[in-house]
Amino acid sequence: MLNHAKIFEDDRYKFWPKAVNTAIKLDNILIKPGQKQCPYEKFYNAIPGFVNHLAPFGKLCVVGNSGQKDKTKDKGEYYMMLGYAEDSPSR
């Protein structure tokens, strides 16, 4: 994941825990061959809410600033997707 995201060698030690958390979260929503439900669905009896909002690890994105009124200034900031929030409502 870190190679695909093109994260510099010096920064990898900072981001590998986020890559592992993302990999585990994604593994828990994948349906394995021979199964009818994913592990998350078996445990919680529901599909997680973030399934419809999946994005690749390391994807560059723009987060909008809804309070920005000036038309000549940027209306958002660039960020890199480094995982899914632990406190997000996923059930």
Side-chain angles (χ1 to χ4, degrees), residues 18-88:
K18 294 183 183 294
V20 170
N21 276 341
T22 302
I24 291 170
K25 237 180 186 186
L26 293 175
D27 190 50
N28 282 332
I29 64 169
L30 292 175
I31 299 174
K32 310 294 189 284
Q35 295 181 350
K36 295 183 180 182
Q37 292 180 313
C38 65
Y40 185 97
E41 193 175 356
K42 286 180 186 176
F43 190 79
Y44 290 110
N45 220 8
I47 297 173
F50 66 90
V51 168
N52 296 326
H53 306 285
L54 294 177
F57 186 85
K59 178 182 178 182
L60 293 178
C61 56
V62 177
V63 176
N65 181 0
S66 60
Q68 182 61 264
K69 301 285 185 192
D70 190 356
K71 291 185 178 186
T72 61
K73 294 187 179 174
D74 290 338
K75 292 184 174 50
E77 294 184 43
Y78 288 100
Y79 289 95
M80 181 181 279
M81 197 297 228
L82 293 175
Y84 302 97
E86 293 294 324
D87 60 350
S88 67

